[in-house]
Amino acid sequence: MDEKKVLDALSGADVEEEKVTDEVVAAAAATTSSSINNKKQGKKVKKGKSKRSQTSLTKKKTGSSSSSSPSRWERRALTLIADSGLTPQNLSRLVENNPIIAIECLLLILTCREESMISVNDKNEYLSSLAGMDMSIHSMEVVNRLATHSSTRANNQLLNVEEEDEGGGGGEEEPLLHPEYIHLYISTCISTCEGMRYDRHLQNKSVRLVCVFLQSLIRNGIVSVEDLYVEVQSFCIEFSRIREAAALFQLLKNQVNHK
């Protein structure tokens, strides 16, 4: 299957193209019609145009305010995800084979505002599956992307940051990926590195990856240093021979001293 077509379907890009095409055709028809009416009616057409423009503006305002329910492409994308057979149990396969599509699917699932389509329990199962996933560069990419993506809760509904910006609503912003799941994934990464004594080269490579990942989370304020200090400090001391671990240890100390 073409990855670009899948991403377009999940993001609604193909729907937007159809919408633009329809708008162009409608605009061309309106222009032709108005030019004919101009010749026949003269100045009366100007008044009609102003009324039509006011009506169209009113429709746009009304349409923008009704963003509380899933849009056409969101419903279709969620249906596509359901038909594909994606479940929390096989999520790891999608993450390892195509993390980009996995990210788009999880963003749609976790930000779905309609309980009948995706329940809260379903969302928690996906998050638990992601947090308990084996450490890999792909799973880190997915966790990091979701951890940096925030959402806004307004009127008991969960909105994307992009939707909140367009609507201008002033809801309470909260992380899409709860810190509890991030801490669980970090613990999995640390225990995985500690268990790689059979391969020193692979262990060093994995430790470097985890250290860079943790530095990114700490610098972006995604995780609290106090919640992870003991576990991460012992991890850094154990692998102090590695430069990235020493840099992470120094970052921890600096964060604690500043607070």
Side-chain angles (χ1 to χ4, degrees), residues 34-49:
S34 62
S35 62
I36 294 172
N37 290 333
N38 278 336
K39 292 178 181 178
K40 292 181 178 181
Q41 299 179 7
K43 292 183 180 180
K44 292 183 180 179
V45 176
K46 293 183 179 179
K47 294 181 181 179
K49 279 186 178 180

Side-chain angles (χ1 to χ4, degrees), residues 1-20:
M1 184 178 289
D2 190 347
E3 180 179 331
K4 185 178 183 301
K5 290 182 179 179
V6 176
L7 289 172
D8 285 347
L10 293 174
S11 63
D14 54 345
V15 175
E16 289 297 323
E17 289 177 2
E18 293 175 6
K19 183 179 177 183
V20 169

Side-chain angles (χ1 to χ4, degrees), residues 55-255:
T55 305
S56 63
L57 285 173
T58 305
K59 287 182 180 179
K60 287 181 180 178
K61 289 179 181 178
T62 306
S64 62
S65 63
S66 61
S67 59
S68 58
S69 59
S71 62
R72 171 190 167 193
W73 73 263
E74 283 177 315
R75 287 180 176 277
R76 194 183 68 168
L78 289 167
T79 303
L80 176 65
I81 292 171
D83 293 343
S84 70
L86 180 65
T87 64
Q89 289 71 34
N90 59 28
L91 176 64
S92 59
R93 291 169 53 192
L94 179 60
V95 169
E96 293 305 322
N97 288 295
N98 202 321
I100 297 175
I101 289 181
I103 289 168
E104 294 300 325
C105 288
L106 286 170
L107 285 175
L108 280 164
I109 290 169
L110 297 176
T111 57
C112 178
R113 307 182 295 278
E114 195 163 312
E115 186 79 11
S116 61
M117 299 189 72
I118 303 291
S119 68
V120 174
N121 289 335
D122 290 336
K123 294 178 182 180
N124 290 334
E125 286 185 17
Y126 276 104
L127 289 172
S128 298
S129 175
L130 179 64
M133 210 169 286
D134 293 337
M135 188 197 79
S136 69
I137 189 168
H138 286 164
S139 63
M140 276 189 187
E141 180 183 356
V142 175
V143 171
N144 186 63
R145 174 70 184 275
L146 293 179
T148 55
H149 189 97
S150 58
S151 57
T152 300
R153 186 172 294 280
N155 299 326
N156 295 324
Q157 291 177 335
L158 196 64
L159 308 175
N160 276 321
V161 166
E162 292 83 358
E163 294 170 349
E164 190 271 338
D165 289 340
E166 290 175 4
E172 180 184 352
E173 189 170 304
E174 60 181 28
L176 186 63
L177 191 58
H178 194 275
E180 177 186 350
Y181 294 105
I182 302 176
H183 295 166
L184 179 59
Y185 180 75
I186 291 172
S187 297
T188 301
C189 292
I190 290 176
S191 60
T192 301
C193 290
E194 292 172 345
M196 287 181 174
R197 294 184 178 87
Y198 58 88
D199 190 334
R200 185 72 171 267
H201 176 72
L202 179 61
Q203 186 181 52
N204 292 347
K205 182 179 178 181
S206 299
V207 169
R208 291 191 183 96
L209 193 62
V210 172
C211 289
V212 172
F213 174 65
L214 287 172
Q215 288 182 50
S216 173
L217 294 178
I218 292 171
R219 287 199 173 98
N220 289 323
I222 295 170
V223 295
S224 173
V225 174
E226 289 81 0
D227 296 337
L228 299 169
Y229 186 78
V230 175
E231 186 177 14
V232 176
Q233 183 187 43
S234 60
F235 172 75
C236 293
I237 292 173
E238 181 179 356
F239 298 103
S240 57
R241 67 180 185 276
I242 299 175
R243 181 179 59 185
E244 287 80 3
L248 176 59
F249 182 74
Q250 189 61 46
L251 177 62
L252 284 176
K253 291 189 69 175
N254 292 339
Q255 291 282 332

